[in-house]
Amino acid sequence: MRLIIMPDQHSATRLAAGEIASVINSRTKPVLGLATGRTMEGVYRHLSTFHHELGLDFSHTSSFNLDEYVGVPASDTHSYHHYMNDLLFRHVNISTHAVHLPNGMATDLNAECAAYEQAIIDHGGIDLQLLGIGDTGHIGFNEPPSPFDTRTRCVTLNARTREQNAPMFGGNPEDVPSQALTMGVGTILEARQLLLVALGSSKAEIVAEALEGKIDPQVSASAVRLHTNCTVILDKESASQLTPQTRKKADYLRK
Ligand code: F6R
């Protein structure tokens, strides 16, 4: 695992966007695994800027998002479909046919999850999977406990996750959907490269637990340490509870 600690959120998200851009530039048909949430807003802003100012070309790129709420239509402003269109897809030249998110409105959710797994295989697998970390230690919506061989499936969201995401639903955790479709930890670990990004002091405790605690299904983000090509990008605040030994092993980049 490569750990990089950046001075602030702007430089951390810019570096993450740069890693994604390298994958886009180095493959003929790049396949990205994408995440949503507040952490990724800056990453997508930088990617949009790279497209407009540096000509980063998304025309051959396909994408698969980690998750989507159950029962929220794509047209709803709370859906992850809407989030992705709003923050990334409409700003770059990615084809609408090349972007994939699980359909949380499907009548047969199990069939939808199986089809999603198959679509990833049909695209040759994911080159780079972008990940945030939730307050429960989840990646995707893999709430504790999520065995490391789990696949795309319907899950019940932890009360803490509904609290974490309440601000996007007007502040009341009860208004956050109780279920979601998510790639499994096993699905995520099959990506050829993982890129985990965490920002801010609110993530410091769970970041330390995921990177230094037991590798355990109770903290699904700890599974990234099992991957042979994983980069973790933190800002100073989210790295603040790591031990000096871990921090000594990190790269510190200035820009
Ligand atoms: C979202 C996702 C989640 C978030 C995590 C962090 O697609 O998969 O794992 O990455 O909940 O969310 P933020 O960035 O809002 O703190």
Side-chain angles (χ1 to χ4, degrees):
M1 188 187 86
R2 183 174 184 221
L3 174 62
I4 305 174
I5 301 176
M6 299 299 286
D8 52 39
Q9 301 204 357
H10 183 266
S11 57
T13 51
R14 192 169 198 278
L15 181 67
E19 296 277 317
I20 297 167
S22 303
V23 170
I24 293 175
N25 285 330
S26 63
R27 316 257 171 180
T28 43
K29 286 185 167 189
V31 182
L32 300 178
L34 298 176
T36 58
R38 279 157 292 185
T39 309
M40 300 307 155
E41 291 175 8
V43 177
Y44 296 146
R45 259 197 303 273
H46 287 300
L47 280 176
S48 304
T49 305
F50 292 170
H51 170 67
H52 289 293
E53 292 179 6
L54 306 172
L56 180 64
D57 179 16
F58 286 77
S59 63
H60 301 291
T61 298
S62 305
S63 69
F64 288 87
N65 265 79
L66 283 166
D67 39 27
E68 178 58 285
Y69 292 114
V70 168
V72 179
S75 55
D76 189 308
T77 53
H78 297 106
S79 73
Y80 285 163
H81 280 77
H82 184 273
Y83 171 107
M84 289 307 303
N85 280 326
D86 197 38
L87 287 163
L88 182 67
F89 299 153
R90 72 187 177 92
H91 301 288
V92 299
N93 64 334
I94 195 164
S95 158
T96 48
H97 304 292
V99 303
H100 305 82
L101 287 96
N103 176 11
M105 294 298 286
T107 40
D108 184 340
L109 293 174
N110 289 335
E112 169 63 19
C113 292
Y116 203 67
E117 289 271 335
Q118 191 56 48
I120 294 172
I121 294 168
D122 294 345
H123 280 72
I126 290 171
D127 290 310
L128 178 143
Q129 178 65 57
L130 183 60
L131 298 167
I133 180 170
D135 295 351
T136 62
H138 69 215
I139 46 175
F141 274 137
N142 290 284
E143 302 288 24
S146 285
F148 293 168
D149 59 357
T150 43
R151 313 300 310 183
T152 303
R153 68 203 186 289
C154 182
V155 294
T156 298
L157 297 181
N158 190 291
R160 224 165 135 194
T161 298
R162 292 175 78 195
E163 253 168 57
Q164 177 198 301
N165 289 357
M168 277 77 78
F169 286 82
N172 184 357
E174 291 289 310
D175 292 336
V176 179
S178 59
Q179 288 190 307
L181 303 185
T182 182
M183 280 187 204
V185 181
T187 321
I188 292 167
L189 290 177
E190 279 170 14
R192 285 180 276 282
Q193 191 179 337
L194 301 183
L195 178 60
L196 175 70
V197 186
L199 306 172
S201 54
S202 68
K203 301 284 170 165
E205 193 180 334
I206 194 65
V207 163
E209 207 177 323
L211 302 189
E212 296 175 334
K214 207 166 131 207
I215 298 180
D216 191 283
Q218 287 295 340
V219 181
S220 62
S222 66
V224 304
R225 286 152 63 197
L226 299 172
H227 199 280
T228 53
N229 186 356
C230 173
T231 301
V232 176
I233 299 178
L234 306 176
D235 64 348
K236 263 200 210 141
E237 282 75 26
S238 61
S240 61
Q241 289 194 32
L242 294 173
T243 60
Q245 291 96 304
T246 305
R247 280 200 248 176
K248 224 184 271 168
K249 284 187 231 147
D251 289 331
Y252 292 83
L253 306 182
R254 304 225 163 267
K255 49 181 183 164

